[in-house]
Amino acid sequence: MTGAPDDEALIRQARRGDHEAFGRLVERYYRAAYASAYAVLGNAGDAEEIAQETFVQVYEKLDRLREPGALTSWIWRIARDSALKYIRKNKRIKPVGDAPDLKLDEDRPHEPLVAAEDKEQLMAALTELPDEMREAVLMRYWEELEYEEMAERTGVSATALYQRVCRGLKRLRETIERKDALA
Amino acid sequence: MTSNHEAEGYDNTPEGRELVALLKRHAPPAVNARAGAEAVMKRIGKPRGRLLRVGTWLPPLVGAAAAVALAFVIFSPKPDVQPTTPPEVAANKVAPAPTQAEIRHDRSFPEIVALVRGNSGDGVLIDAGLKDGLRVGDMLLGSGGVKARVTALGVFDARVAVTGGVPVKGAELRTPVTTEAQSRAAKYADFGGDPGAFLEFGVLLSAMPLSEARMLGISDGAAMRVDETIPALLRDPASAPQATLAAQLDLRAGDVLVEVNGAHIGSSNDLGNALGWSLDPKLLTVRILRNGRQLDLKLR
């Protein structure tokens, strides 16, 4: 347990107009929205823009959320949909937009290309995962949450989440290998 | 289709571990959730920041002093150390008295606080500077076609030249939202939003990966690399920019700090302690690794 007021209480307060409560919800789930958008866009600047846009939408639609336990999935989905909309609107896809860390190494001149390819493949494979698997995999490895924390957020048991992560990883591997074979 | 049973334990197989490493390698850069939340609150019209009125916030004497200071800005001699973009301050302008301007004071990036002075072409950004990711040469955009270019910077203040439009009371200037500017500002999150001595010293640092540091012969694997150097800083908005210690030492991006004044540098705190949190050291010796070679730099 985090010891923080639970989502349900914060949502209730936010609905009554408590902006501090809403701010705390945003702070708690900002990384989730950012990670979800990043998985689509592959670009930190755009992903942050989308993360912020996501919470503007959450704020506007908070009254429509019937099941507070579904908040995290709802945020993941809004962020993902917004990111996809952003791509359509801007008609550009930048799957390897952020690669400043890929510095040329004189002894290994091809590594940056390999790394960029890896990232492109990974991002493409992530988009093919079912929502619940992608959410579980990214919560575990991008948000670096423990299974208990993930369970607390989602209301799904830690065991079920572990199974989702393992299935997600396996599915990712299969997708990457399939794309490799076609290339 | 993969069944639960078949997949369980996959994270501990060699293939699974390789995939996990790939996922972690391409994880998104760190993000400051608090700053993000503040930006969201601002977008929905519920900012957490304070709204200050310059005329009431600054005592009248300070306001008068600011007018005098502005005259110094306009007529000040050329700095010894040129900023990367020369200031575009018109030499013959008469400094008008500062107008009462409403400014929004909020540390969240990318909103930049602006105090725009009357119809003059010059201004000072109060409490906005390096810590917000600004750099000399950055363009700021405001309402009514106002554009301003950052001409000189301190940690907490920036000087700008307005290049278009007419500044009006209550004007706010914004930086375009770019990944580059955001990543600059994000680096300050490590310092709790107060970059203090390191920016004044003239460096932005990041911790090196353990394995990379060990490959360079740093046995405990703790080392700090210079990401960016800042050539010159304003000590106050009216002064000419002065070379930072890092610039005087000729530190460069990519250098690895090994020792400062004989103390091993493995973290930002180590650097602060080695400098004695003083920016006016009598003797500064810095041992670095540059392209794998060890160099000793000295400043008296």
Side-chain angles (χ1 to χ4, degrees):
Chain A
M1 292 291 285
T2 59
D6 62 22
D7 289 350
E8 202 170 336
L10 287 175
I11 290 169
R12 210 170 35 242
Q13 289 164 16
R15 279 175 174 163
R16 285 201 297 258
D18 182 340
H19 301 125
E20 187 53 37
F22 185 71
R24 289 171 72 182
L25 278 175
V26 177
E27 219 170 308
R28 190 178 288 181
Y29 291 112
Y30 192 77
R31 287 189 181 86
Y34 169 70
S36 179
Y38 188 87
V40 176
L41 299 165
N43 174 295
D46 292 344
E48 255 215 282
E49 171 66 24
I50 296 300
Q52 291 177 16
E53 175 58 33
T54 297
F55 286 103
V56 173
Q57 289 187 51
V58 168
Y59 180 78
E60 287 167 354
K61 297 174 184 171
L62 199 56
D63 283 339
R64 294 188 213 166
L65 180 67
R66 295 187 179 188
E67 180 49 64
L71 178 69
T72 178
S73 297
W74 193 45
I75 288 170
W76 275 85
R77 200 171 56 247
I78 292 177
R80 179 179 155 71
D81 291 350
S82 300
L84 289 169
K85 205 179 289 177
Y86 180 84
I87 286 177
R88 283 196 296 274
K89 190 176 162 192
N90 289 278
K91 292 189 173 149
R92 64 197 171 97
I93 300 175
K94 300 195 292 178
V96 288
D98 285 342
D101 52 333
L102 305 177
K103 286 176 186 158
L104 273 175
D105 182 332
E106 284 174 8
D107 297 331
R108 291 170 291 178
H110 302 301
E111 284 212 349
L113 280 178
V114 172
E117 262 175 35
D118 276 357
K119 182 176 179 183
E120 203 164 6
Q121 281 183 333
L122 176 67
M123 294 299 187
L126 277 172
T127 60
E128 291 189 20
L129 275 189
D131 288 351
E132 61 177 29
M133 282 189 201
R134 183 176 47 252
E135 189 184 326
V137 166
L138 297 184
M139 260 197 271
R140 179 75 187 97
Y141 297 114
W142 279 8
E143 283 198 80
E144 297 189 326
L145 297 181
E146 298 299 332
Y147 284 104
E148 288 73 21
E149 293 174 289
M150 291 163 63
E152 195 181 310
R153 271 195 183 187
T154 57
V156 177
S157 75
T159 310
L161 286 165
Y162 175 66
Q163 286 169 349
R164 275 186 201 174
V165 167
C166 288
R167 290 172 66 196
L169 287 175
K170 197 157 190 195
R171 184 80 73 90
L172 266 180
R173 164 69 69 186
E174 287 163 1
T175 308
I176 290 172
E177 283 174 356
R178 193 182 69 235
K179 285 178 185 290
D180 264 352
L182 291 173
Chain B
M1 194 68 189
T2 310
S3 76
N4 285 354
H5 181 70
E6 284 170 346
E8 209 159 311
Y10 187 73
D11 58 334
N12 274 322
T13 63
E15 280 187 343
R17 282 197 294 269
E18 194 184 333
L19 200 52
V20 168
L22 181 71
L23 274 162
K24 287 187 171 177
R25 195 160 59 241
H26 296 301
V31 68
N32 184 335
R34 196 171 64 176
E38 285 179 358
V40 169
M41 298 311 285
K42 185 177 289 180
R43 281 172 76 156
I44 61 177
K46 314 292 177 195
R48 288 170 160 182
R50 292 176 290 153
L51 193 65
L52 301 175
R53 184 175 292 278
V54 173
T56 53
W57 177 52
L58 294 176
L61 275 177
V62 177
V68 174
L70 186 63
F72 271 103
V73 171
I74 292 166
F75 295 111
S76 63
K78 292 283 180 197
D80 294 337
V81 177
Q82 292 293 327
T84 50
T85 306
E88 289 187 343
V89 179
N92 296 320
K93 279 184 185 162
V94 177
T99 54
Q100 281 220 335
E102 269 182 4
I103 59 171
R104 188 169 290 284
H105 181 273
D106 191 321
R107 285 171 181 272
S108 65
F109 192 78
E111 197 89 358
I112 298 297
V113 178
L115 167 58
V116 178
R117 294 172 190 275
N119 292 324
S120 158
D122 310 302
V124 175
L125 302 186
I126 292 179
D127 204 8
L130 281 168
K131 68 184 177 56
D132 299 286
L134 289 181
R135 290 291 183 277
V136 170
D138 282 356
M139 288 299 293
L140 305 169
L141 308 175
S143 55
V146 176
K147 287 182 182 175
R149 183 152 69 178
V150 178
T151 57
L153 283 162
V155 175
F156 297 108
D157 291 299
R159 210 162 68 198
V160 299
V162 177
T163 58
V166 179
V168 293
K169 179 180 174 180
E172 286 181 354
L173 299 176
R174 293 159 190 264
T175 56
V177 179
T178 65
T179 304
E180 187 198 0
Q182 284 180 325
S183 65
R184 279 184 208 156
K187 289 177 189 294
Y188 312 139
D190 291 344
F191 302 98
D194 181 358
F198 303 108
L199 287 183
E200 291 203 47
F201 181 68
V203 290
L204 275 179
L205 301 168
S206 61
M208 286 184 78
L210 194 75
S211 55
E212 217 176 308
R214 284 191 173 142
M215 277 174 69
L216 288 173
I218 297 165
S219 55
D220 67 357
M224 301 299 289
R225 181 159 46 200
V226 176
D227 286 338
E228 187 179 338
T229 58
I230 296 151
L233 285 182
L234 285 176
R235 294 301 171 202
D236 70 74
S239 71
Q242 295 171 4
T244 60
L245 292 174
Q248 292 176 55
L249 284 161
D250 190 31
L251 281 177
R252 299 172 195 175
D255 288 348
V256 178
L257 290 182
V258 180
E259 286 180 9
V260 171
N261 287 347
H264 172 58
I265 303 300
S267 68
S268 301
N269 263 344
D270 290 344
L271 176 60
N273 290 330
L275 291 170
W277 301 98
S278 163
L279 295 170
D280 188 21
K282 290 192 168 44
L283 174 67
L284 190 59
T285 59
V286 178
R287 176 166 289 174
I288 61 164
L289 292 173
R290 179 175 294 163
N291 299 324
R293 288 181 47 230
Q294 185 173 297
L295 289 176
D296 288 321
L297 309 172
K298 277 188 184 173
L299 194 65
R300 283 182 188 280

